[in-house]
């Protein structure tokens, strides 16, 4: 009895290993030809059956004994059989051309009894052949292909009750409820729809993908980046991959290499699907909460290609807000032994809880997301000229694709719109003209972006209106910038702030504008005089954010008043590769407990310095291969890339410029990657190294990022204080692994709560030339160099608490003798995640 759990654990480990080792072989065609003759007489033998072992691919010799194969579905050997002759087998070199001549001997033996036994469950025999043929059935095997893709995406508000339609909120545009569709189990109201028509091109060597979007039609949102995001390439799911990324989670494919460890399969039917005889196989997860599907698939009996698949997320899967999910895909043999996806349908039911107004009574308010994609006009193995694939942009927009009229869409869309779908465009355009609707849109936009748009001006961000720190006391701030109603090529911004304790006004002014939108060339110039927290990571709350004040664990007294002039030019050479050139002048004044103390004269008398000045010329280079974005007018949000993102920062101090005092050089290289690890979850890796050359005061050295709040900072050391460690050369590594419930899903209580485990490790090693830098400015008490090895902290946490909260327990493993530090700390973070 004690062996069974160990056996199950071993099977699961083996299954994970099998899934995590995807096939990397690129399939090629195998060509075999030859002649079959009688071994005794040398005469050619007609009608001899030549077949691949463990396959249904076969052929017969002609009257001259000749035969030939040209197939992607070769196995490692062929068998020659003919009545009256001894059957023989021959080894085959797959993915190569070869000649195999066969000589058969006469057989005088009598036929004996034949006993047929099943060596394994028939469903596993089929699945074994499906997995073996994945490289050849995957369209990536082809030298090249192209097709036309049509995408239609629709969002619907579902669970529309009569009570919901009578709310005062909708009084001025109640006409929208005339469009409610009650034929579904949940009545729904279409609120958004977009269509995209594009040509997709693929070349295997060198591997290149290109999508040319020919037309986009959007109800209510006319944004080129949205058009790109809605294209085919960013949404396709390949059933032949071992893991399918859905809502950022790694779902195990039902035909994954190690699928037997995660699914229960049954063969339930066999029948014709179109012109193909297929086996029908059902599948369901072996364990609840695991990221696996339930559904059915039809497998072709000769090529073992997927002909049709329907999959839904199993009940109880560890996902937030997803009440339903269904995907349907159809594949067709568009050319002999070439299977391509021809139809892809997706329906997602997302839900949130809304108040009904009655005590202790809530209803589920949700959305349907629907996507229908069809593909046609395939061209196989006919690559275009190399010049066509030149350039790094995967998605290319045709000239003004939003300008195409209804006649174009009536002629070119693959599937005609239903009457209700066609009415969506009219309904949304009408809603946009209603003032009260625009007010609701503005409120939502303000919550999301932090800015309230009033005509040609954006006021905000609202979360910096009030904050508090011991240096300024109560701080009040008002800011504004020009909106896209003012200009989509130029933006101006400014703010003013006042602290009640220091009695000083702070302010900033600046602007930026496009030199060229095509190559994303943006020129900006800014001035500010304001309080900063030096040594704060780029992902931390900004100093004047109200949440930064609310979550502080120690008084914020190590501040700096910074007067800064900055001119910068951003140039994107191609998607994912850009440079930012910057000239910056900074005048730094210590505030709070900070002091600038310099030793002067032969007797090294300490003298307090009021401020330090520095001028710096820098160039920042960033490369993220195949990175995707969603862009606004000037700013954009990265959707990430599966490849490493590389960044190199070079800076040079320019002495005597505007009385700048220091000459130095600085280099920092940073590597970031998010790794999808299948059943083991995903990992985030941040590695960084840098060095500063030149004698500098401590504010200009490398101040390692600490965190003096209870809020978790992903890019900082969360048990390190500000200014605690300073270096002039360093290397650091941050690893963060999200197991996505891998362990908790096996504990009933945690499984019901849908908690997920996360572990992190952070380390930094550095050094400092004391003599040079201390000669420029003395370190204050509480400032140290990393002279006793690397600083290390680790954490174990639980995320998805109440669907929005993450709590981490941190252990500081080194330098615990420093004052005002603790070897243990708790940090929390709020975020919404599927």
């Amino acid at each position: 009895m004690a062996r069974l759990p160990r056996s199950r654990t071993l099977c699961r480990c083996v299954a994970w290993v099998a899934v995590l080792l995807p096939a990397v072989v690129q399939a090629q065609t195998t060509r075999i030809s030859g002649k079959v003759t009688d071994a005794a007489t040398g005469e050619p033998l007609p009608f001899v059956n030549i077949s691949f072992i463990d396959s249904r691919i076969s052929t017969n010799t002609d009257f001259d004994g000749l035969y030939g194969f040209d197939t992607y579905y070769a196995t490692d050997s062929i068998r020659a059989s003919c009545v009256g002759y001894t059957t023989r087998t021959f080894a085959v070199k797959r993915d190569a051309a070869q000649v195999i001549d066969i000589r058969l001997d006469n057989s005088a033996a009598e036929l004996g009894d034949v006993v047929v036994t099943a060596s394994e469950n028939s469903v596993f025999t089929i699945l074994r052949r499906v997995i073996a043929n994945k490289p050849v059935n995957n369209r990536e095997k082809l030298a090249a292909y192209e097709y036309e893709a049509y995408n239609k995406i629709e969002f619907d508000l579902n669970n529309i009750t009569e009570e919901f339609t009578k709310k005062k909120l909708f009084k001025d545009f109640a006409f929208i409820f005339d469009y409610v569709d009650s034929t579904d189990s949940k009545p729904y109201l279409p609120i958004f729809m977009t269509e995209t028509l594009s040509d997709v091109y693929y070349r295997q060597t060198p591997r290149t993908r290109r999508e040319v979007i020919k037309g986009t039609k959007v109800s209510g949102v006319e944004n080129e980046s949205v058009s790109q995001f809605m294209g085919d390439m960013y949404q396709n799911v390949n059933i032949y991959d071992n893991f399918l990324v859905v809502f950022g989670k790694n779902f195990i494919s039902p035909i994954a290499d190690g699928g037997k460890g995660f699914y229960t399969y049954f063969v339930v039917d066999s029948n014709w699907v179109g012109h193909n005889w297929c086996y029908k196989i059902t599948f369901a997860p072996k364990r609840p909460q695991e990221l696996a599907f339930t559904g059915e698939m039809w497998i072709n009996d000769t090529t073992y290609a997927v002909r049709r698949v329907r999959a839904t997320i199993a009940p109880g899967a560890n996902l937030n807000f997803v009440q339903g999910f269904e995907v349907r895909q159809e594949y067709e043999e568009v050319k002999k032994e070439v299977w391509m996806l021809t139809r892809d349908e997706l329906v997602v039911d997302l839900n949130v809880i809304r108040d009904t107004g009655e005590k202790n009574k809530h209803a589920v308010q949700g959305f349907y997301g629907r996507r229908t994609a069809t593909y046609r006009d395939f061209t196989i193995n006919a690559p275009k000229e190399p010049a066509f694939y030149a350039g790094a942009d995967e998605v290319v927009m045709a000239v003004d694709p939003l300008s195409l009229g209804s006649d174009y869409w009536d002629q070119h869309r693959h599937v005609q719109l239903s009457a209700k779908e066609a009415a969506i465009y009219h309904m949304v355009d009408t809603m946009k003209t209603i003032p009260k609707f625009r007010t609701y849109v503005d409120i939502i936009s303000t919550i999301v972006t932090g800015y309230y748009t009033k005509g040609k001006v954006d006021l905000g961000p609202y979360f910096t209106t009030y904050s508090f720190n011991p240096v300024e006391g109560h701080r009040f701030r008002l800011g504004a910038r020009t909106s896209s109603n003012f200009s989509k090529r130029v933006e101006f911004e400014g703010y003013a702030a006042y602290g009640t304790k220091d009695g000083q006004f702070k302010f900033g002014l600046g602007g930026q504008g496009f030199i060229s939108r095509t190559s994303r060339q943006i020129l900006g110039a800014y001035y500010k005089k304001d309080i900063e927290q030096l040594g704060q990571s780029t992902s931390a709350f900004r100093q004047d954010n109200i949440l930064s004040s609310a979550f502080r664990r120690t008084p914020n007294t190590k501040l700096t008043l910074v007067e800064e002039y900055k001119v910068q030019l951003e140039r994107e050479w191609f998607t994912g590769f850009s440079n930012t050139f910057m000239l910056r002048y900074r005048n730094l004044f210590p505030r709070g407990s900070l002091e600038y103390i310099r030793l002067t004269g032969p007797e090294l008398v300490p003298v307090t310095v009021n401020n330090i000045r520095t001028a710096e010329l820098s160039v920042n280079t960033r490369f993220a291969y195949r990175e995707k974005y969603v862009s606004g007018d000037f700013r954009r949000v990265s959707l990430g890339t599966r490849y490493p993102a590389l960044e190199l920062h070079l800076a040079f101090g320019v002495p005597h410029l505007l009385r700048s005092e220091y000459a130095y050089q600085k280099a920092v290289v940073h590597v970031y990657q998010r790794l999808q690890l299948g059943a083991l979850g995903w990992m985030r890796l941040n590695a960084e190294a840098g060095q500063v050359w030149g004698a500098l005061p401590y504010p200009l050295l490398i101040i390692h990022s600490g965190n003096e709040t209870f809020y978790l900072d992903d890019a900082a050391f969360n048990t390190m204080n500000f200014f605690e460690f300073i270096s002039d050369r360093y290397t650091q590594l941050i690893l963060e692994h999200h197991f996505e419930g891998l362990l908790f899903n096996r504990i009933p209580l945690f499984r019901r709560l849908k908690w997920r485990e996360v572990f992190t490790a952070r380390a930094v090693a550095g050094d400092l030339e004391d003599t040079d830098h201390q000669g420029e400015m003395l370190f204050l008490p509480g400032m140290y160099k990393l002279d006793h090895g690397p600083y290390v902290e680790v954490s174990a946490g639980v995320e998805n608490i109440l669907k929005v909260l993450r709590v981490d327990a941190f252990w500081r493993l080194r330098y615990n003798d420093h004052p005002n530090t603790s070897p243990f700390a708790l940090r929390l973070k709020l975020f919404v995640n599927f």
Side-chain angles (χ1 to χ4, degrees):
M1 295 294 290
R3 294 180 182 173
L4 183 56
R6 265 185 259 165
S7 175
R8 288 179 178 172
T9 301
L10 178 61
C11 289
R12 292 175 187 174
C13 291
V14 170
W16 286 333
V17 170
V19 171
L20 290 171
L21 294 175
V24 295
V25 177
Q26 290 296 325
Q28 301 177 25
T29 186
T30 301
R31 295 182 176 89
I32 306 173
S33 61
K35 186 174 184 178
V36 182
T37 58
D38 187 299
T41 65
E43 293 182 358
L45 296 177
F47 310 120
V48 178
N49 181 261
I50 313 294
S51 62
F52 285 98
I53 293 178
D54 199 22
S55 172
R56 296 173 65 91
I57 304 297
S58 65
T59 189
N60 293 320
T61 58
D62 62 15
F63 284 102
D64 296 320
L66 301 175
Y67 75 96
F69 284 104
D70 188 354
T71 181
Y72 287 108
Y73 298 97
T75 62
D76 59 5
S77 56
I78 59 173
R79 177 189 294 117
S81 60
C82 182
V83 176
Y85 288 88
T86 302
T87 299
R88 294 189 62 186
T89 60
F90 298 86
V92 169
K93 295 180 180 179
R94 282 186 283 192
D95 303 332
Q98 60 217 274
V99 176
I100 301 178
D101 292 326
I102 300 171
R103 301 175 67 194
L104 296 182
D105 294 311
N106 284 302
S107 173
E110 294 183 1
L111 293 175
D113 294 336
V114 177
V115 179
V116 179
T117 59
S119 59
E120 63 177 338
N121 188 325
S122 61
V123 70
F124 295 134
T125 302
I126 297 171
L127 287 172
R128 178 167 49 80
R129 293 175 178 174
V130 170
I131 292 170
N133 284 331
K134 278 168 63 174
V136 295
N137 286 324
N138 192 340
R139 63 185 181 180
E140 307 297 310
K141 73 181 180 185
L142 301 170
Y145 62 75
E146 61 185 81
Y147 57 83
E148 184 181 72
Y150 168 74
N151 277 274
K152 179 178 66 179
I153 296 176
E154 177 184 327
F155 289 100
D156 310 320
L157 186 68
N158 66 26
N159 202 28
I160 304 295
T161 64
E162 184 176 355
E163 176 190 9
F164 182 77
T165 63
K166 293 180 179 179
K167 287 183 175 293
K168 293 182 179 179
L169 179 72
F170 306 111
K171 181 180 178 181
D172 291 346
F173 40 95
F175 72 91
I176 64 175
F177 297 113
D178 295 336
Y179 297 87
V180 170
D181 191 326
S182 59
T183 59
D184 197 86
S185 58
K186 295 180 180 179
Y188 64 89
L189 172 68
I191 57 174
F192 173 85
M193 190 171 74
T194 180
E195 298 175 272
T196 304
L197 191 70
S198 59
D199 290 328
V200 179
Y201 304 88
Y202 168 83
R203 178 183 62 180
Q204 186 187 81
T205 307
R207 178 163 294 191
T208 310
R209 297 174 184 271
R210 181 66 42 83
E211 180 174 8
V212 179
I213 297 184
K214 302 185 294 184
T216 301
K217 186 177 177 64
V218 184
S219 64
V221 179
E222 296 181 359
N223 183 287
E224 187 174 89
S225 295
V226 173
S227 301
Q228 288 188 337
F229 184 61
M230 296 304 182
D232 169 69
M233 194 168 292
Y234 295 166
Q235 303 175 68
N236 245 346
V237 172
N238 190 344
I239 192 69
Y240 290 100
D241 292 337
N242 282 334
F243 290 94
L244 311 179
V245 180
V246 179
F247 303 112
K249 311 297 181 185
N250 292 313
F251 279 78
I252 301 156
S253 170
I255 58 172
D257 293 351
K260 287 177 20 176
F262 301 91
Y263 285 101
T264 300
Y265 301 94
F266 294 100
V267 178
V268 297
D269 196 6
S270 59
N271 209 332
W272 291 101
V273 179
H275 300 292
N276 307 107
W277 185 260
C278 299
Y279 305 113
K280 182 181 180 181
I281 297 175
T282 62
F283 50 88
K286 283 189 172 182
R287 292 169 291 277
Q289 301 283 124
E290 216 150 54
L291 296 180
F293 298 101
T294 182
E296 63 186 39
M297 56 185 170
W298 291 83
I299 305 297
N300 179 242
D301 73 327
T302 303
T303 62
Y304 294 95
V306 176
R307 177 64 174 84
R308 182 183 293 168
V309 62
R310 181 187 64 81
T312 62
I313 293 178
N318 196 337
L319 277 176
N320 297 326
F321 313 116
V322 181
Q323 189 168 350
F325 173 94
E326 181 178 67
V327 59
R328 295 174 180 263
Q329 293 186 334
E330 290 194 16
Y331 295 78
E332 293 184 14
E333 195 172 15
V334 299
K335 184 179 178 181
K336 181 176 172 55
E337 297 189 349
V338 175
W339 291 83
M340 299 291 286
L341 180 65
T342 57
R343 188 175 182 87
D344 191 2
E345 298 179 27
L346 176 69
V347 179
V348 182
D349 185 2
L350 302 176
N351 68 81
V352 294
I353 303 299
R354 62 176 170 86
D355 190 359
T356 63
E358 299 181 31
K359 186 176 181 180
N360 298 325
K361 186 176 180 181
H362 298 81
V364 175
Q365 183 62 66
F367 296 87
Y368 283 137
R370 307 173 189 269
R371 171 178 177 260
T372 301
T374 56
Y375 312 98
R376 69 186 187 190
D377 300 336
F378 294 92
T379 301
I380 306 298
N381 291 337
K384 295 185 174 296
E385 293 297 322
F388 176 82
Y389 302 99
D393 290 334
E394 281 195 13
V395 177
V396 179
M397 300 293 295
V399 178
D400 196 12
L402 288 169
S403 64
L404 301 173
S406 58
D407 291 342
Y408 175 88
W409 288 100
D410 291 340
Q411 181 180 352
H412 290 89
R413 63 167 58 97
H414 294 188
V415 180
Q416 293 302 311
L417 300 181
S418 67
K420 285 189 175 292
E421 289 173 334
I424 294 175
Y425 290 116
H426 173 72
M427 180 192 72
V428 173
D429 290 341
T430 303
M431 288 175 62
K432 288 166 60 178
T433 64
I434 300 174
K436 195 169 185 178
F437 175 77
R438 292 301 313 165
T439 300
Y440 295 148
V441 171
D442 290 342
I443 292 173
I444 295 172
S445 177
T446 300
I447 295 173
V448 173
T449 66
Y451 286 87
Y452 175 73
T453 300
K454 186 67 175 178
K456 297 182 178 182
V457 177
D458 291 337
L459 302 175
Y462 64 83
F463 47 76
T464 63
T465 303
Y466 170 80
S467 60
F468 175 86
N469 64 70
V471 172
E472 296 178 280
H474 299 283
R475 173 186 166 107
F476 300 91
R477 181 187 186 277
L478 292 176
R481 68 186 184 193
T482 57
S483 70
S484 57
N485 296 325
F486 172 79
S487 173
K488 294 187 178 182
R489 295 191 63 89
V490 179
E491 178 188 76
F492 299 100
E493 60 180 299
Y495 72 91
Y498 180 78
T500 59
K501 185 174 182 179
D502 64 359
Q504 290 186 348
F505 282 98
K506 296 90 180 177
F507 62 94
L509 295 169
Q512 61 181 340
F514 279 98
I515 299 174
S516 170
R517 281 188 174 272
T518 305
S519 56
R520 191 174 173 83
Q521 296 184 56
I522 303 177
L523 179 65
Y526 298 90
Y527 169 82
K528 76 169 183 178
K529 188 173 184 180
D530 203 353
I531 294 291
E532 278 190 22
Q533 174 65 70
L534 301 184
Q536 181 172 280
S537 82
T538 55
S539 66
F541 286 132
R542 51 189 290 175
Q543 176 56 36
D544 55 359
N545 190 318
I546 180 59
L547 294 179
S548 179
S549 303
F551 282 101
R552 289 206 60 83
R553 59 182 174 86
T554 58
N556 192 9
T557 60
K558 306 169 190 174
L559 297 174
T560 303
L561 178 65
V562 179
E563 183 180 22
E564 178 182 88
Y565 301 84
K566 180 173 68 175
V567 178
Q568 66 182 35
L569 172 65
E570 178 186 350
R571 167 66 189 262
E572 184 173 58
W573 304 97
F574 53 81
T575 301
F577 182 68
S578 63
N579 284 121
T580 302
F581 305 91
M582 181 187 299
L583 177 61
R584 182 174 68 170
Y585 173 84
R586 284 163 70 88
N587 199 356
L588 308 181
F589 302 84
R591 292 292 184 265
S593 63
L594 288 185
E595 290 184 283
Y596 295 166
I597 302 175
R598 183 177 293 162
L599 298 178
T600 62
E603 298 181 0
L604 301 180
V605 178
V607 176
T608 300
V609 179
N610 181 55
N611 64 300
I612 58 176
R613 300 181 181 89
T614 177
E616 180 180 280
L617 180 65
S618 67
V619 55
N620 196 79
T621 303
R622 187 175 186 278
F623 178 60
Y625 184 58
R626 293 185 175 176
E627 186 173 32
K628 306 174 184 72
Y629 304 93
V630 171
S631 298
D633 292 325
F634 290 92
R635 296 157 188 86
R636 59 186 183 179
V637 177
S638 172
L639 298 175
T641 172
R642 61 178 179 175
Y643 301 96
L646 308 175
E647 195 163 353
L648 174 64
H649 179 76
L650 301 175
F652 307 89
V654 185
H656 313 304
L657 178 64
L658 299 177
R659 294 189 293 169
S660 172
E661 304 170 69
Y662 302 100
Y664 60 90
Q665 301 81 43
K666 181 178 181 180
V668 177
V669 61
H670 179 260
V671 180
Y672 167 83
Q673 186 171 18
R674 173 172 169 148
L675 300 169
Q676 297 286 357
L677 300 177
L680 299 180
W682 61 276
M683 176 183 291
R684 181 162 42 216
L685 180 151
N686 272 290
E688 187 173 289
Q691 184 166 350
V692 176
W693 293 269
L696 295 173
Y698 70 81
L700 302 184
L701 293 172
I702 297 165
I703 305 170
H704 297 294
S705 299
N707 181 14
E708 293 188 1
T709 72
F710 290 106
Y711 199 86
L712 191 151
D713 187 342
D714 292 326
F717 295 91
N718 286 274
T719 56
M720 182 188 293
N721 293 326
F722 290 135
F723 287 95
E724 184 177 354
F725 291 101
I726 299 175
S727 303
D728 60 16
R729 52 193 179 276
Y730 73 104
T731 303
Q732 77 176 37
L733 178 66
I734 299 177
L735 296 176
E736 183 174 313
H737 191 96
H738 298 253
F739 282 95
E740 299 287 62
L742 176 68
L743 305 177
F744 285 174
N745 284 345
R746 286 152 178 79
I747 303 173
L749 175 60
F750 292 162
R751 185 168 65 233
R752 287 195 296 272
L753 294 172
K754 294 188 177 182
W755 286 2
R756 303 164 188 166
E757 54 284 87
V758 56
F759 297 91
T760 72
R762 303 158 194 260
V764 57
D767 202 356
L768 184 73
E769 294 293 342
D770 274 340
T771 305
D772 293 340
H773 303 304
Q774 295 271 24
E776 289 293 332
M777 186 168 290
L778 292 179
F779 279 17
L780 301 180
M783 296 182 182
Y784 305 89
K785 68 176 185 176
L786 291 160
D787 54 357
H788 297 296
Y791 174 92
V792 181
E793 66 181 26
V794 297
S795 75
V798 178
E799 59 184 350
N800 206 43
I801 301 172
L802 303 177
K803 299 184 179 181
V804 295
L805 178 64
R806 169 180 166 182
V807 178
D808 280 38
F810 277 88
W811 289 269
R812 176 172 166 145
L813 304 184
R814 306 289 300 277
Y815 299 96
N816 288 319
D817 57 334
H818 289 186
N820 302 317
T821 63
S822 172
F824 177 79
L826 291 176
R827 299 289 181 265
L828 62 85
K829 181 179 181 179
L830 298 171
F831 70 106
V832 177
N833 186 24
F834 283 108

